[in-house]
Amino acid sequence: MINVGIVGYGNLGKGVCLAVEKAQDLNCVGIFTRREPSAIKPIINVPVYKTEDLQNFKEKIDVLILCGGSATDLPTTTKEYLKDFNTVDSFDTHAKIPEYKKELEEIANKYGHLSAISIGWDPGLFSIARMLFGALLPSGNDYTFWGKGVSQGHSDAIRRIDGVKNAIQYTIPKEEAINSVRNGENKPLTARQKHLRECFVVAKDGADKERIEAEIKNMPNYFSDYDTVVHFITEEELLKNHSKLAHGGFVMRSGETTTENKHLLELSIKLDSNPEFTGSVLTAYARAVAKLSKEGKTGVVTVFDVPIKYLSSLAEEDLVKGLL
Amino acid sequence: MINVGIVGYGNLGKGVCLAVEKAQDLNCVGIFTRREPSAIKPIINVPVYKTEDLQNFKEKIDVLILCGGSATDLPTTTKEYLKDFNTVDSFDTHAKIPEYKKELEEIANKYGHLSAISIGWDPGLFSIARMLFGALLPSGNDYTFWGKGVSQGHSDAIRRIDGVKNAIQYTIPKEEAINSVRNGENKPLTARQKHLRECFVVAKDGADKERIEAEIKNMPNYFSDYDTVVHFITEEELLKNHSKLAHGGFVMRSGETTTENKHLLELSIKLDSNPEFTGSVLTAYARAVAKLSKEGKTGVVTVFDVPIKYLSSLAEEDLVKGLL
């Protein structure tokens, strides 16, 4: 039995709870929160503690699953927890991963722990596809498409505009771009050519909608490089029609082995619940971290380092017999 | 620089040649054949030797890429080569893999070599998808579809029927089955429901076509469990329209994290040349075997054991920076 602790109880923490409960080889020791524990009613039957209580669990937890956010939580908290525990996290600020990895490596090696970072579907499953496809088909290009799904960061950016009461932003891959890749056209595609950004905005009473729409469409980094569509709706409509956490996407590699022979490799995912699937991925990697740590491995690993057999609850012989 | 030797020069051996030549970190020491070397004119500029000459290359080759067939070649030859070399092969008789693995493990451990077995796209890339998808989404079912592509074993079986001069058999996944999985219906699918078998047959002069068609359709294991369509064509038509080695397929997993939230994971590949892509996969795993062997690893590995970073010619930092 592998004992896990779950740190943080937002949407992702709930997803991890569901996945851990389904896994017969995993036991959830507790949920650890910065909130008042009594305020939390977990969806599974498991005790809730304050994060300060973690010091009493050093010998009782094989791996901590960190369910905080990449922007503020993980960069500071992972370093602290890694001193006392093995960890898994979903750090997803792509540009900062090398630096984050390096910082954690020092701590992991010093304290003899193992940390799996940037686990989820992107980074995570999609990274596996990009790396694997590129190694198996070196002459070619890869394309990642996200969506249709809610982009939390972009939704937040709209909500910060003056006069906006609430907003949801969907990233939508463009059919013509997907088809171009599938047809082996192998051409470079700009951000604008690959994705559409669709925004559903609730304006405050009396707010200037034209100004809000212009501010969204011209927002640098977030929207100005994309075709952006803005719809103004009521708060009721937003809550009724735009509360789902569905997401998905594609990784494609189009390449050739000779000029005549072209090949297309494609991974696609369609998720009803982004946090529940991400939680399931984190849970599989928590299993891997516990097993690898038991074998004596320390340091920091990503999806590129972990042999996939460690993710399964099945015995190696059964994997070879049933799935190879 | 990693030095590889290529054993066997059929379609797969040619595919490996192309892939090795493209890889800047790999050097092809030679092609080794049971045929008369002077009869072979390789598509890349590389010497051809007799397989008996391999004994002179023990210190000059880091890994041997075995391009023989699973039915007769690999079960005997891999054991011999593994005594003197690290090896990679594409052993694909699924039911016999556990036994094959066990036999090779004894030799690999005794002689201190490393062997990667059952490398290609199925077993291989598709096995990765089946195993990974199952670990990340444990509640669900997976479905593997092959085609459209030529099934060599089934084509051979038709050719052995009395009165048949030549034949090609295509395995074709059924759209309605694929759509059922994509729609999350998650129902069990029989062989007949998943694939159609289409046969193009050249009959000998005066042969009884009705009898041939009946013999094909009723052949146990090969055709009797499938919907099979038989077309009689001329030898000219066969050579003109059915000489391509294209193939492809899908691995899908349809599952759920809660009863409300369903998810679909799908890997699909579309190959203009089956042997060229398979050769490219073997080459990437040859690189991994050479690197792992240099780190001291011995024994037998499958795609479940090899961290994917070893497949790439890129440095680990560049993988993390560019692809994670």
Side-chain angles (χ1 to χ4, degrees):
Chain A
M1 212 64 171
I2 294 166
N3 292 307
V4 307
I6 299 171
V7 180
Y9 192 72
N11 286 323
L12 183 56
K14 284 178 205 168
V16 170
C17 279
L18 291 167
V20 170
E21 191 174 57
K22 275 191 184 176
Q24 304 207 332
D25 58 337
L26 302 182
N27 170 49
C28 184
V29 171
I31 293 165
F32 298 85
T33 177
R34 282 176 308 201
R35 291 183 270 167
E36 172 52 42
S38 62
I40 289 176
K41 303 271 166 279
I43 39 171
I44 63 171
N45 183 21
V46 64
V48 184
Y49 304 98
K50 281 185 159 303
T51 46
E52 289 80 6
D53 295 333
L54 271 168
Q55 54 181 318
N56 306 320
F57 286 87
K58 288 183 195 178
E59 305 304 319
K60 295 172 195 156
I61 288 176
D62 297 308
V63 53
L64 271 190
I65 305 177
L66 307 181
C67 302
S70 297
T72 53
D73 292 344
L74 295 173
T76 52
T77 59
T78 309
K79 283 181 223 169
E80 282 313 306
Y81 297 135
L82 190 52
K83 291 177 184 169
D84 295 321
F85 297 95
N86 298 313
T87 63
V88 180
D89 73 46
S90 63
F91 187 78
D92 66 356
T93 313
H94 288 258
K96 291 186 178 165
I97 293 173
E99 182 193 335
Y100 181 68
K101 184 167 187 274
K102 206 167 160 239
E103 286 176 354
L104 293 182
E105 263 161 3
E106 275 179 38
I107 298 166
N109 290 328
K110 183 172 172 189
Y111 291 89
H113 289 128
L114 180 63
S115 177
I117 62 163
S118 302
I119 304 299
W121 61 270
D122 197 354
L125 180 57
F126 275 21
S127 321
I128 291 177
R130 282 189 291 264
M131 210 238 92
L132 188 57
F133 291 174
L136 303 186
L137 192 59
S139 298
N141 294 309
D142 63 53
Y143 303 85
T144 300
F145 293 90
W146 296 278
K148 182 185 175 175
V150 173
S151 177
Q152 204 53 55
H154 287 74
S155 302
D156 287 345
I158 300 173
R159 288 189 203 110
R160 285 192 293 265
I161 292 174
D162 189 42
V164 171
K165 194 174 174 194
N166 204 344
I168 284 290
Q169 189 271 342
Y170 294 96
T171 302
I172 303 171
K174 289 189 180 173
E175 277 299 322
E176 36 311 11
I178 292 176
N179 289 336
S180 159
V181 178
R182 285 202 183 128
N183 292 336
E185 293 172 21
N186 225 338
K187 61 187 181 191
L189 294 170
T190 63
R192 189 181 298 275
Q193 286 169 315
K194 279 168 69 186
H195 294 100
L196 177 78
R197 297 204 176 273
E198 189 171 26
C199 315
F200 293 86
V201 181
V202 182
K204 287 180 185 163
D205 285 346
D208 178 352
K209 289 181 182 175
E210 268 183 49
R211 193 232 345 128
I212 291 173
E213 181 165 344
E215 274 197 46
I216 294 172
K217 289 185 172 177
N218 296 317
M219 198 185 297
N221 300 321
Y222 284 83
F223 293 100
S224 62
D225 292 337
Y226 293 86
D227 290 337
T228 301
V229 178
V230 178
H231 309 279
F232 286 95
I233 59 173
T234 64
E235 181 116 51
E236 292 72 43
E237 281 178 282
L238 190 87
L239 293 174
K240 188 180 158 212
N241 301 325
H242 303 284
S243 299
K244 287 279 174 84
L245 298 167
H247 217 311
F250 311 80
V251 176
M252 300 181 183
R253 189 167 183 92
S254 170
E256 58 180 41
T257 44
T258 56
T259 44
E260 314 88 71
N261 289 327
K262 305 199 184 303
H263 312 282
L264 181 69
L265 312 178
E266 178 176 344
L267 170 74
S268 68
I269 69 173
K270 210 169 149 244
L271 311 174
D272 274 359
S273 166
N274 183 358
E276 286 181 16
F277 181 68
T278 303
S280 194
V281 178
L282 278 171
T283 301
Y285 276 88
R287 174 185 291 121
V289 164
K291 289 189 205 171
L292 285 164
S293 169
K294 204 163 273 180
E295 291 180 8
K297 189 162 178 70
T298 59
V300 177
V301 292
T302 72
V303 292
F304 299 156
D305 302 291
V306 178
I308 61 169
K309 67 177 174 187
Y310 287 96
L311 305 175
S312 177
S313 61
L314 297 175
E316 203 169 328
E317 307 79 68
D318 295 327
L319 294 176
V320 169
K321 201 175 168 187
L323 296 171
L324 194 67
Chain B
M1 210 66 173
I2 293 167
N3 291 308
V4 308
I6 299 171
V7 180
Y9 192 72
N11 286 323
L12 182 56
K14 283 178 206 169
V16 171
C17 279
L18 292 167
V20 170
E21 191 175 57
K22 275 191 185 175
Q24 305 207 331
D25 57 337
L26 302 181
N27 170 48
C28 183
V29 172
I31 294 165
F32 298 85
T33 177
R34 281 177 308 201
R35 291 183 270 168
E36 171 53 40
S38 63
I40 289 175
K41 304 271 167 278
I43 39 171
I44 63 170
N45 184 22
V46 63
V48 184
Y49 304 98
K50 282 186 159 300
T51 46
E52 289 79 7
D53 295 334
L54 271 169
Q55 55 181 315
N56 305 320
F57 286 86
K58 288 183 197 178
E59 305 304 319
K60 295 170 194 156
I61 288 175
D62 297 308
V63 54
L64 271 190
I65 305 178
L66 307 181
C67 302
S70 297
T72 52
D73 292 344
L74 296 173
T76 52
T77 59
T78 309
K79 285 181 220 167
E80 283 311 307
Y81 297 136
L82 191 52
K83 291 177 185 171
D84 296 321
F85 298 95
N86 299 313
T87 63
V88 180
D89 72 47
S90 63
F91 186 79
D92 66 358
T93 313
H94 288 258
K96 292 186 178 167
I97 293 173
E99 181 194 335
Y100 182 68
K101 184 167 187 274
K102 205 166 159 238
E103 286 176 354
L104 293 182
E105 264 161 1
E106 276 178 38
I107 298 165
N109 290 329
K110 184 172 171 189
Y111 292 88
H113 289 126
L114 179 64
S115 178
I117 63 164
S118 302
I119 304 300
W121 59 271
D122 197 354
L125 180 57
F126 275 21
S127 322
I128 291 177
R130 281 188 291 263
M131 210 238 92
L132 189 57
F133 290 174
L136 303 185
L137 193 59
S139 298
N141 294 310
D142 63 53
Y143 302 85
T144 301
F145 293 90
W146 297 278
K148 180 184 174 177
V150 173
S151 176
Q152 203 54 56
H154 287 74
S155 303
D156 287 343
I158 300 173
R159 289 189 202 109
R160 285 192 294 264
I161 293 175
D162 189 42
V164 171
K165 196 174 173 192
N166 205 343
I168 284 289
Q169 189 272 344
Y170 294 96
T171 302
I172 304 171
K174 288 189 181 173
E175 277 299 323
E176 48 287 29
I178 293 176
N179 289 336
S180 158
V181 178
R182 285 203 183 126
N183 293 336
E185 294 172 21
N186 225 338
K187 61 187 181 191
L189 294 170
T190 64
R192 190 181 297 274
Q193 286 170 314
K194 280 168 68 186
H195 294 99
L196 177 78
R197 296 203 176 276
E198 189 171 27
C199 316
F200 292 87
V201 181
V202 181
K204 287 180 185 163
D205 286 346
D208 179 351
K209 291 180 180 173
E210 270 184 45
R211 194 239 333 134
I212 292 173
E213 181 165 344
E215 274 196 46
I216 294 172
K217 289 185 170 175
N218 297 318
M219 197 185 298
N221 300 321
Y222 284 83
F223 294 99
S224 62
D225 292 337
Y226 294 86
D227 290 337
T228 301
V229 178
V230 178
H231 309 279
F232 287 95
I233 60 171
T234 65
E235 182 116 52
E236 293 73 43
E237 282 178 282
L238 190 87
L239 294 174
K240 189 180 157 211
N241 301 326
H242 303 283
S243 299
K244 288 277 175 84
L245 299 166
H247 218 311
F250 311 80
V251 175
M252 300 180 184
R253 188 166 184 94
S254 169
E256 58 179 43
T257 44
T258 56
T259 44
E260 314 89 70
N261 289 328
K262 304 197 184 304
H263 313 282
L264 180 69
L265 312 178
E266 178 176 344
L267 170 74
S268 69
I269 68 173
K270 209 168 149 241
L271 311 174
D272 275 358
S273 166
N274 183 358
E276 285 180 15
F277 181 68
T278 303
S280 195
V281 178
L282 278 171
T283 301
Y285 277 88
R287 173 186 291 121
V289 164
K291 288 189 206 170
L292 286 164
S293 169
K294 204 163 275 179
E295 291 180 6
K297 188 160 178 71
T298 60
V300 177
V301 291
T302 72
V303 293
F304 299 156
D305 302 290
V306 178
I308 60 170
K309 67 177 174 187
Y310 287 96
L311 305 175
S312 177
S313 62
L314 298 175
E316 204 170 328
E317 305 81 68
D318 294 328
L319 294 176
V320 169
K321 201 174 168 189
L323 296 170
L324 194 66

